[in-house]
Amino acid sequence: EAGVVQSPRYKIIEKKQPVAFWCNPISGHNTLYWYRQNLGQGPELLIRYENEEAVDDSQLPKDRFSAERLKGVDSTLKIQPAELGDSAVYLCASRLTSPGELFFGEGSRLTVL
Amino acid sequence: TQLLEQSPQFLSIQEGENLTVYCNSSSVFSSLQWYRQEPGEGPVLLVTVVTGGEVKKLKRLTFQFGDARKDSSLHITAAQPGDTGLYLCAGPNTGNQFYFGTGTSLTVIP
């Protein structure tokens, strides 16, 4: 069975440019999370989806970040415009049950120059 | 918002030594999980603890959940270079949001 798939793995952009990350969760996992992680630190929650509904996006910087999960499967996270401080790894995770194991993708590493 | 504080933040030890990592919170958690993350990968689940005072063992790793369910510890016996990685505790808040701790970066030197 395929795990959580994320793309791109790496992205380098100049500040003020837009960027988008894509996540395909494990089949049948209704819960999907986006996290941001800086080097050597724990992941910080950005948003959680239950099916296609964003049940808590209080941690998402809404002035420049947006996310969607159409049809309750794939999800995209967008940043526009990107700032230097957005450089980080963006992790997507999915879960079947609560409480249960979170399955993570390999992450998308963003570098903003 | 970091509800879970881990200590130490960094740890570098020689192969064969023992170590303990701590995860503390002022909040009560219904359960806590421990993950290990290697460079370039996502975190991978090691264990879930649910009952206050619970102790679980995974080979050389021993996990304990505090009696009040506000803290947890991870003890590694005779550390190996393969134990190197970022160790993360994590748990759900009352709104079922899943938060991770601040992380402990472990390096085991051969």
Side-chain angles (χ1 to χ4, degrees):
Chain A
E1 180 181 345
V4 177
V5 180
Q6 290 188 246
S7 68
R9 285 296 309 276
Y10 305 94
K11 189 73 176 179
I12 301 174
I13 61 172
E14 294 189 345
K15 63 182 180 181
K16 299 186 181 180
Q17 294 299 308
V19 64
F21 305 111
W22 175 80
C23 173
N24 180 240
I26 293 173
S27 178
H29 285 197
N30 296 326
T31 306
L32 183 147
Y33 301 82
W34 281 103
Y35 288 88
R36 176 171 59 189
Q37 186 178 31
N38 292 307
L39 187 63
Q41 299 180 18
E44 297 178 357
L45 180 64
L46 293 175
I47 190 169
R48 172 171 70 103
Y49 282 93
E50 294 291 345
N51 298 303
E52 67 275 10
E53 182 181 0
V55 294
D56 189 346
D57 60 357
S58 60
Q59 310 287 342
L60 193 70
K62 297 182 184 60
D63 57 335
R64 297 182 299 106
F65 285 65
S66 64
E68 62 182 10
R69 190 183 184 195
L70 300 177
K71 300 181 180 179
V73 182
D74 295 2
S75 178
T76 54
L77 177 69
K78 298 179 181 179
I79 308 174
Q80 183 173 8
E83 297 180 352
L84 296 177
D86 296 331
S87 294
V89 175
Y90 290 83
L91 291 166
C92 177
S94 69
R95 186 167 69 177
L96 179 63
T97 61
S98 176
E101 179 177 0
L102 263 66
F103 292 87
F104 283 85
E106 294 179 311
S108 295
R109 180 178 295 278
L110 172 66
T111 302
V112 182
L113 302 176
Chain B
T1 303
Q2 292 286 10
L3 301 177
L4 294 163
E5 294 289 333
Q6 290 185 234
S7 62
Q9 185 177 359
F10 300 98
L11 193 54
S12 181
I13 62 172
Q14 295 289 330
E15 181 177 358
E17 292 183 347
N18 302 333
L19 67 113
T20 302
V21 176
Y22 299 93
C23 173
N24 294 291
S25 175
S26 59
S27 303
V28 175
F29 283 83
S30 57
S31 64
L32 275 180
Q33 297 181 334
W34 283 92
Y35 290 77
R36 180 169 66 204
Q37 184 178 21
E38 298 186 11
E41 305 289 333
V44 176
L45 180 69
L46 294 173
V47 77
T48 300
V49 287
V50 178
T51 305
E54 181 178 5
V55 176
K56 282 191 173 179
K57 292 189 176 182
L58 185 64
K59 296 183 180 179
R60 294 176 293 99
L61 278 61
T62 302
F63 304 86
Q64 184 163 8
F65 201 10
D67 292 340
R69 291 184 287 129
K70 291 184 178 181
D71 57 271
S72 182
S73 64
L74 158 61
H75 182 79
I76 301 179
T77 303
Q80 303 294 314
D83 297 327
T84 294
L86 181 67
Y87 287 82
L88 299 160
C89 62
N93 69 354
T94 54
N96 205 29
Q97 292 292 59
F98 212 75
Y99 288 100
F100 280 81
T102 49
T104 296
S105 181
L106 171 65
T107 301
V108 181
I109 303 168

